[in-house]
């Protein structure tokens, strides 16, 4: 059920921004989703529809999947692992125990297993558009 918690967090972020910018009616909300984020998009969308307040009723939600990006700590090389390298076991490992990922993936340039995940996790707000009147 973590889709509902993510949806709640996203809605409250939208509300905060709309209050700060004085937007009375929201028309578009952009949402970024890391491809490693374990999320059921249908449940997430449903939760957003259920939780949104009145001034968000006509808002269009746009979802953008963001691909994984890794950065080698040894040589600084940045790369995106191929889809077939990211099978379910690897995705789970990256999500829950990042250290375990190093057993599956290594830097294609120098072979190091010491790297950071700089993209691909989480759900975040990319933009909020609306009207002030
Ligand atoms: Zn490297």
């Amino acid at each position: 059920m973590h889709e509902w918690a993510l949806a709640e967090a996203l809605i409250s972020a939208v509300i905060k921004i709309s209050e700060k910018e004085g937007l009375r009616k929201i028309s578009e909300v952009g949402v970024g989703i890391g491809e490693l984020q374990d999320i059921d998009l249908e449940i997430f969308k449903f939760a957003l529809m259920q939780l949104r307040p009145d001034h968000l009723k006509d808002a269009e939600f746009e979802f953008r999947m963001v691909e994984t990006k890794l950065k080698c700590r040894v040589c600084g090389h940045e790369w995106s692992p191929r889809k077939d390298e990211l099978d379910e076991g690897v995705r789970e490992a990256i999500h829950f125990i990042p250290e375990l990922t190093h057993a599956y993936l290594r830097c294609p340039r120098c072979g190091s297993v010491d790297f950071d995940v700089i993209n691909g996790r989480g759900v975040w707000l990319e933009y909020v558009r609306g009207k002030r009147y």
Side-chain angles (χ1 to χ4, degrees):
M1 293 302 278
H2 77 147
E3 282 80 5
W4 284 84
L6 290 170
E8 221 174 278
L10 194 82
I11 293 285
S12 77
V14 173
I15 291 170
K16 233 178 242 169
I17 288 177
S18 62
E19 279 170 359
K20 199 174 127 217
E21 299 192 1
L23 303 174
R24 302 187 61 176
K25 210 170 164 152
I26 308 296
S27 54
E28 280 172 72
V29 177
V31 184
I33 300 173
E35 68 173 349
L36 297 170
Q37 178 67 38
D38 177 30
I39 188 170
D40 185 321
L41 204 51
E42 289 312 307
I43 296 176
F44 185 53
K45 283 179 184 167
F46 178 74
L48 285 173
M49 296 305 112
Q50 298 297 309
L51 295 170
R52 62 184 175 172
D54 276 350
H55 69 299
L56 260 152
K57 284 281 183 260
D58 300 320
E60 293 255 3
F61 284 80
E62 261 184 50
F63 300 91
R64 189 170 72 92
M65 294 304 266
V66 176
E67 79 172 355
T68 310
K69 207 176 225 179
L70 308 173
K71 185 175 184 179
C72 177
R73 283 188 196 155
V74 176
C75 72
H77 183 58
E78 287 182 19
W79 81 101
S80 296
R82 296 190 317 271
K83 296 275 179 264
D84 62 308
E85 286 179 310
L86 291 174
D87 67 24
E88 206 140 313
V90 179
R91 297 162 67 102
E92 231 158 74
I94 294 177
H95 193 62
F96 294 108
I97 325 165
E99 292 73 28
L100 252 186
T101 318
H102 302 160
Y104 300 95
L105 298 169
R106 50 180 64 230
C107 173
R109 187 192 274 171
C110 74
S112 164
V113 293
D114 194 10
F115 55 80
D116 291 316
V117 180
I118 55 176
N119 245 352
R121 278 191 285 218
V123 171
W124 60 91
L125 198 56
E126 294 209 310
Y127 57 84
V128 175
R129 293 186 188 123
K131 289 187 177 137
R132 293 201 164 80
Y133 50 86

PDB file of all heavy atoms in Angstrom, residues 55-77:
ATOM      1  N   HIS A  55      -9.158  22.154  -5.760  1.00  0.00           N
ATOM      2  CA  HIS A  55      -8.507  22.981  -6.769  1.00  0.00           C
ATOM      3  C   HIS A  55      -7.562  22.164  -7.659  1.00  0.00           C
ATOM      4  O   HIS A  55      -6.926  22.691  -8.547  1.00  0.00           O
ATOM      5  CB  HIS A  55      -7.807  24.198  -6.143  1.00  0.00           C
ATOM      6  CG  HIS A  55      -6.603  23.859  -5.313  1.00  0.00           C
ATOM      7  ND1 HIS A  55      -6.673  23.062  -4.197  1.00  0.00           N
ATOM      8  CD2 HIS A  55      -5.312  24.218  -5.438  1.00  0.00           C
ATOM      9  CE1 HIS A  55      -5.468  22.947  -3.679  1.00  0.00           C
ATOM     10  NE2 HIS A  55      -4.622  23.628  -4.411  1.00  0.00           N
ATOM     11  N   LEU A  56      -7.530  20.882  -7.416  1.00  0.00           N
ATOM     12  CA  LEU A  56      -6.719  19.980  -8.247  1.00  0.00           C
ATOM     13  C   LEU A  56      -7.587  19.058  -9.098  1.00  0.00           C
ATOM     14  O   LEU A  56      -7.080  18.189  -9.801  1.00  0.00           O
ATOM     15  CB  LEU A  56      -5.849  19.122  -7.326  1.00  0.00           C
ATOM     16  CG  LEU A  56      -4.393  19.560  -7.177  1.00  0.00           C
ATOM     17  CD1 LEU A  56      -3.848  19.138  -5.843  1.00  0.00           C
ATOM     18  CD2 LEU A  56      -3.572  18.946  -8.279  1.00  0.00           C
ATOM     19  N   LYS A  57      -8.871  19.270  -9.033  1.00  0.00           N
ATOM     20  CA  LYS A  57      -9.804  18.354  -9.695  1.00  0.00           C
ATOM     21  C   LYS A  57      -9.605  18.271 -11.214  1.00  0.00           C
ATOM     22  O   LYS A  57      -9.834  17.232 -11.813  1.00  0.00           O
ATOM     23  CB  LYS A  57     -11.262  18.740  -9.393  1.00  0.00           C
ATOM     24  CG  LYS A  57     -11.705  18.350  -7.987  1.00  0.00           C
ATOM     25  CD  LYS A  57     -12.058  16.864  -7.876  1.00  0.00           C
ATOM     26  CE  LYS A  57     -12.565  16.497  -6.491  1.00  0.00           C
ATOM     27  NZ  LYS A  57     -11.524  15.873  -5.639  1.00  0.00           N
ATOM     28  N   ASP A  58      -9.210  19.378 -11.822  1.00  0.00           N
ATOM     29  CA  ASP A  58      -9.055  19.371 -13.282  1.00  0.00           C
ATOM     30  C   ASP A  58      -7.607  19.200 -13.721  1.00  0.00           C
ATOM     31  O   ASP A  58      -7.295  19.332 -14.894  1.00  0.00           O
ATOM     32  CB  ASP A  58      -9.604  20.681 -13.875  1.00  0.00           C
ATOM     33  CG  ASP A  58     -11.081  20.850 -13.563  1.00  0.00           C
ATOM     34  OD1 ASP A  58     -11.803  19.832 -13.621  1.00  0.00           O
ATOM     35  OD2 ASP A  58     -11.497  21.981 -13.245  1.00  0.00           O
ATOM     36  N   ALA A  59      -6.759  18.949 -12.772  1.00  0.00           N
ATOM     37  CA  ALA A  59      -5.337  18.862 -13.112  1.00  0.00           C
ATOM     38  C   ALA A  59      -5.023  17.604 -13.911  1.00  0.00           C
ATOM     39  O   ALA A  59      -5.573  16.532 -13.665  1.00  0.00           O
ATOM     40  CB  ALA A  59      -4.512  18.887 -11.826  1.00  0.00           C
ATOM     41  N   GLU A  60      -4.124  17.786 -14.880  1.00  0.00           N
ATOM     42  CA  GLU A  60      -3.618  16.642 -15.638  1.00  0.00           C
ATOM     43  C   GLU A  60      -2.330  16.192 -14.970  1.00  0.00           C
ATOM     44  O   GLU A  60      -1.426  16.999 -14.743  1.00  0.00           O
ATOM     45  CB  GLU A  60      -3.269  17.080 -17.059  1.00  0.00           C
ATOM     46  CG  GLU A  60      -4.444  17.472 -17.889  1.00  0.00           C
ATOM     47  CD  GLU A  60      -4.780  16.394 -18.907  1.00  0.00           C
ATOM     48  OE1 GLU A  60      -4.098  15.340 -18.873  1.00  0.00           O
ATOM     49  OE2 GLU A  60      -5.707  16.604 -19.685  1.00  0.00           O
ATOM     50  N   PHE A  61      -2.229  14.928 -14.707  1.00  0.00           N
ATOM     51  CA  PHE A  61      -0.993  14.394 -14.151  1.00  0.00           C
ATOM     52  C   PHE A  61      -0.184  13.766 -15.278  1.00  0.00           C
ATOM     53  O   PHE A  61      -0.696  12.969 -16.045  1.00  0.00           O
ATOM     54  CB  PHE A  61      -1.284  13.347 -13.077  1.00  0.00           C
ATOM     55  CG  PHE A  61      -1.734  13.946 -11.777  1.00  0.00           C
ATOM     56  CD1 PHE A  61      -3.039  14.361 -11.600  1.00  0.00           C
ATOM     57  CD2 PHE A  61      -0.838  14.116 -10.732  1.00  0.00           C
ATOM     58  CE1 PHE A  61      -3.459  14.930 -10.400  1.00  0.00           C
ATOM     59  CE2 PHE A  61      -1.243  14.681  -9.528  1.00  0.00           C
ATOM     60  CZ  PHE A  61      -2.555  15.085  -9.363  1.00  0.00           C
ATOM     61  N   GLU A  62       1.061  14.195 -15.365  1.00  0.00           N
ATOM     62  CA  GLU A  62       1.937  13.583 -16.365  1.00  0.00           C
ATOM     63  C   GLU A  62       3.060  12.843 -15.664  1.00  0.00           C
ATOM     64  O   GLU A  62       3.730  13.386 -14.797  1.00  0.00           O
ATOM     65  CB  GLU A  62       2.504  14.662 -17.279  1.00  0.00           C
ATOM     66  CG  GLU A  62       1.741  14.760 -18.575  1.00  0.00           C
ATOM     67  CD  GLU A  62       2.344  15.757 -19.514  1.00  0.00           C
ATOM     68  OE1 GLU A  62       3.571  15.678 -19.744  1.00  0.00           O
ATOM     69  OE2 GLU A  62       1.594  16.628 -19.979  1.00  0.00           O
ATOM     70  N   PHE A  63       3.255  11.616 -16.101  1.00  0.00           N
ATOM     71  CA  PHE A  63       4.256  10.776 -15.443  1.00  0.00           C
ATOM     72  C   PHE A  63       5.430  10.547 -16.380  1.00  0.00           C
ATOM     73  O   PHE A  63       5.252  10.267 -17.557  1.00  0.00           O
ATOM     74  CB  PHE A  63       3.642   9.435 -15.045  1.00  0.00           C
ATOM     75  CG  PHE A  63       2.492   9.588 -14.100  1.00  0.00           C
ATOM     76  CD1 PHE A  63       1.193   9.717 -14.573  1.00  0.00           C
ATOM     77  CD2 PHE A  63       2.705   9.654 -12.739  1.00  0.00           C
ATOM     78  CE1 PHE A  63       0.124   9.888 -13.702  1.00  0.00           C
ATOM     79  CE2 PHE A  63       1.650   9.829 -11.856  1.00  0.00           C
ATOM     80  CZ  PHE A  63       0.361   9.948 -12.345  1.00  0.00           C
ATOM     81  N   ARG A  64       6.616  10.710 -15.845  1.00  0.00           N
ATOM     82  CA  ARG A  64       7.822  10.489 -16.644  1.00  0.00           C
ATOM     83  C   ARG A  64       8.692   9.465 -15.929  1.00  0.00           C
ATOM     84  O   ARG A  64       9.072   9.659 -14.777  1.00  0.00           O
ATOM     85  CB  ARG A  64       8.578  11.809 -16.785  1.00  0.00           C
ATOM     86  CG  ARG A  64       9.735  11.759 -17.765  1.00  0.00           C
ATOM     87  CD  ARG A  64      10.265  13.164 -18.017  1.00  0.00           C
ATOM     88  NE  ARG A  64      10.998  13.684 -16.864  1.00  0.00           N
ATOM     89  CZ  ARG A  64      12.319  13.559 -16.695  1.00  0.00           C
ATOM     90  NH1 ARG A  64      13.034  12.965 -17.614  1.00  0.00           N
ATOM     91  NH2 ARG A  64      12.907  14.052 -15.631  1.00  0.00           N
ATOM     92  N   MET A  65       8.973   8.377 -16.638  1.00  0.00           N
ATOM     93  CA  MET A  65       9.861   7.375 -16.057  1.00  0.00           C
ATOM     94  C   MET A  65      11.299   7.813 -16.303  1.00  0.00           C
ATOM     95  O   MET A  65      11.659   8.171 -17.422  1.00  0.00           O
ATOM     96  CB  MET A  65       9.636   6.007 -16.722  1.00  0.00           C
ATOM     97  CG  MET A  65       8.268   5.399 -16.442  1.00  0.00           C
ATOM     98  SD  MET A  65       7.907   5.232 -14.662  1.00  0.00           S
ATOM     99  CE  MET A  65       8.456   3.569 -14.400  1.00  0.00           C
ATOM    100  N   VAL A  66      12.092   7.800 -15.257  1.00  0.00           N
ATOM    101  CA  VAL A  66      13.470   8.248 -15.383  1.00  0.00           C
ATOM    102  C   VAL A  66      14.403   7.054 -15.254  1.00  0.00           C
ATOM    103  O   VAL A  66      14.311   6.281 -14.303  1.00  0.00           O
ATOM    104  CB  VAL A  66      13.779   9.300 -14.293  1.00  0.00           C
ATOM    105  CG1 VAL A  66      15.238   9.714 -14.353  1.00  0.00           C
ATOM    106  CG2 VAL A  66      12.864  10.502 -14.492  1.00  0.00           C
ATOM    107  N   GLU A  67      15.269   6.907 -16.234  1.00  0.00           N
ATOM    108  CA  GLU A  67      16.100   5.698 -16.237  1.00  0.00           C
ATOM    109  C   GLU A  67      17.216   5.762 -15.197  1.00  0.00           C
ATOM    110  O   GLU A  67      17.628   6.828 -14.747  1.00  0.00           O
ATOM    111  CB  GLU A  67      16.627   5.393 -17.642  1.00  0.00           C
ATOM    112  CG  GLU A  67      17.795   6.220 -18.067  1.00  0.00           C
ATOM    113  CD  GLU A  67      18.383   5.721 -19.398  1.00  0.00           C
ATOM    114  OE1 GLU A  67      17.942   4.676 -19.926  1.00  0.00           O
ATOM    115  OE2 GLU A  67      19.286   6.395 -19.895  1.00  0.00           O
ATOM    116  N   THR A  68      17.663   4.596 -14.856  1.00  0.00           N
ATOM    117  CA  THR A  68      18.682   4.452 -13.832  1.00  0.00           C
ATOM    118  C   THR A  68      20.011   5.029 -14.298  1.00  0.00           C
ATOM    119  O   THR A  68      20.399   4.857 -15.454  1.00  0.00           O
ATOM    120  CB  THR A  68      18.901   2.956 -13.542  1.00  0.00           C
ATOM    121  OG1 THR A  68      17.630   2.373 -13.314  1.00  0.00           O
ATOM    122  CG2 THR A  68      19.788   2.760 -12.333  1.00  0.00           C
ATOM    123  N   LYS A  69      20.682   5.713 -13.406  1.00  0.00           N
ATOM    124  CA  LYS A  69      22.013   6.187 -13.733  1.00  0.00           C
ATOM    125  C   LYS A  69      22.939   5.872 -12.566  1.00  0.00           C
ATOM    126  O   LYS A  69      22.617   6.124 -11.413  1.00  0.00           O
ATOM    127  CB  LYS A  69      21.976   7.685 -14.003  1.00  0.00           C
ATOM    128  CG  LYS A  69      23.092   8.109 -14.939  1.00  0.00           C
ATOM    129  CD  LYS A  69      22.955   9.566 -15.255  1.00  0.00           C
ATOM    130  CE  LYS A  69      23.153   9.838 -16.741  1.00  0.00           C
ATOM    131  NZ  LYS A  69      22.999  11.265 -17.014  1.00  0.00           N
ATOM    132  N   LEU A  70      24.071   5.315 -12.907  1.00  0.00           N
ATOM    133  CA  LEU A  70      25.049   4.953 -11.889  1.00  0.00           C
ATOM    134  C   LEU A  70      26.324   5.744 -12.132  1.00  0.00           C
ATOM    135  O   LEU A  70      26.642   6.099 -13.267  1.00  0.00           O
ATOM    136  CB  LEU A  70      25.353   3.450 -11.966  1.00  0.00           C
ATOM    137  CG  LEU A  70      24.128   2.525 -11.931  1.00  0.00           C
ATOM    138  CD1 LEU A  70      24.545   1.085 -12.195  1.00  0.00           C
ATOM    139  CD2 LEU A  70      23.406   2.625 -10.601  1.00  0.00           C
ATOM    140  N   LYS A  71      27.029   6.027 -11.053  1.00  0.00           N
ATOM    141  CA  LYS A  71      28.286   6.752 -11.192  1.00  0.00           C
ATOM    142  C   LYS A  71      29.386   6.029 -10.429  1.00  0.00           C
ATOM    143  O   LYS A  71      29.282   5.791  -9.224  1.00  0.00           O
ATOM    144  CB  LYS A  71      28.135   8.183 -10.676  1.00  0.00           C
ATOM    145  CG  LYS A  71      29.386   8.997 -10.906  1.00  0.00           C
ATOM    146  CD  LYS A  71      29.194  10.450 -10.514  1.00  0.00           C
ATOM    147  CE  LYS A  71      30.462  11.215 -10.874  1.00  0.00           C
ATOM    148  NZ  LYS A  71      30.370  12.618 -10.556  1.00  0.00           N
ATOM    149  N   CYS A  72      30.443   5.719 -11.160  1.00  0.00           N
ATOM    150  CA  CYS A  72      31.572   4.997 -10.577  1.00  0.00           C
ATOM    151  C   CYS A  72      32.328   5.912  -9.608  1.00  0.00           C
ATOM    152  O   CYS A  72      32.634   7.054  -9.929  1.00  0.00           O
ATOM    153  CB  CYS A  72      32.499   4.532 -11.695  1.00  0.00           C
ATOM    154  SG  CYS A  72      33.965   3.692 -11.076  1.00  0.00           S
ATOM    155  N   ARG A  73      32.628   5.409  -8.421  1.00  0.00           N
ATOM    156  CA  ARG A  73      33.359   6.208  -7.438  1.00  0.00           C
ATOM    157  C   ARG A  73      34.855   6.206  -7.703  1.00  0.00           C
ATOM    158  O   ARG A  73      35.587   7.005  -7.131  1.00  0.00           O
ATOM    159  CB  ARG A  73      33.115   5.652  -6.033  1.00  0.00           C
ATOM    160  CG  ARG A  73      31.756   6.031  -5.481  1.00  0.00           C
ATOM    161  CD  ARG A  73      31.679   5.622  -4.030  1.00  0.00           C
ATOM    162  NE  ARG A  73      30.293   5.613  -3.577  1.00  0.00           N
ATOM    163  CZ  ARG A  73      29.856   4.881  -2.559  1.00  0.00           C
ATOM    164  NH1 ARG A  73      30.688   4.094  -1.913  1.00  0.00           N
ATOM    165  NH2 ARG A  73      28.603   4.925  -2.197  1.00  0.00           N
ATOM    166  N   VAL A  74      35.289   5.290  -8.541  1.00  0.00           N
ATOM    167  CA  VAL A  74      36.717   5.204  -8.803  1.00  0.00           C
ATOM    168  C   VAL A  74      37.112   6.095  -9.978  1.00  0.00           C
ATOM    169  O   VAL A  74      37.980   6.949  -9.860  1.00  0.00           O
ATOM    170  CB  VAL A  74      37.145   3.735  -9.065  1.00  0.00           C
ATOM    171  CG1 VAL A  74      38.626   3.664  -9.439  1.00  0.00           C
ATOM    172  CG2 VAL A  74      36.855   2.889  -7.831  1.00  0.00           C
ATOM    173  N   CYS A  75      36.440   5.921 -11.133  1.00  0.00           N
ATOM    174  CA  CYS A  75      36.860   6.680 -12.310  1.00  0.00           C
ATOM    175  C   CYS A  75      35.872   7.774 -12.710  1.00  0.00           C
ATOM    176  O   CYS A  75      36.126   8.529 -13.631  1.00  0.00           O
ATOM    177  CB  CYS A  75      37.119   5.733 -13.493  1.00  0.00           C
ATOM    178  SG  CYS A  75      35.610   5.044 -14.208  1.00  0.00           S
ATOM    179  N   GLY A  76      34.733   7.862 -11.995  1.00  0.00           N
ATOM    180  CA  GLY A  76      33.791   8.938 -12.281  1.00  0.00           C
ATOM    181  C   GLY A  76      32.889   8.697 -13.477  1.00  0.00           C
ATOM    182  O   GLY A  76      32.067   9.548 -13.823  1.00  0.00           O
ATOM    183  N   HIS A  77      33.026   7.555 -14.114  1.00  0.00           N
ATOM    184  CA  HIS A  77      32.206   7.228 -15.270  1.00  0.00           C
ATOM    185  C   HIS A  77      30.730   7.113 -14.874  1.00  0.00           C
ATOM    186  O   HIS A  77      30.397   6.537 -13.846  1.00  0.00           O
ATOM    187  CB  HIS A  77      32.708   5.895 -15.862  1.00  0.00           C
ATOM    188  CG  HIS A  77      31.994   5.486 -17.108  1.00  0.00           C
ATOM    189  ND1 HIS A  77      31.949   6.278 -18.227  1.00  0.00           N
ATOM    190  CD2 HIS A  77      31.302   4.354 -17.411  1.00  0.00           C
ATOM    191  CE1 HIS A  77      31.247   5.644 -19.168  1.00  0.00           C
ATOM    192  NE2 HIS A  77      30.851   4.492 -18.702  1.00  0.00           N
TER     193      HIS A  77
END
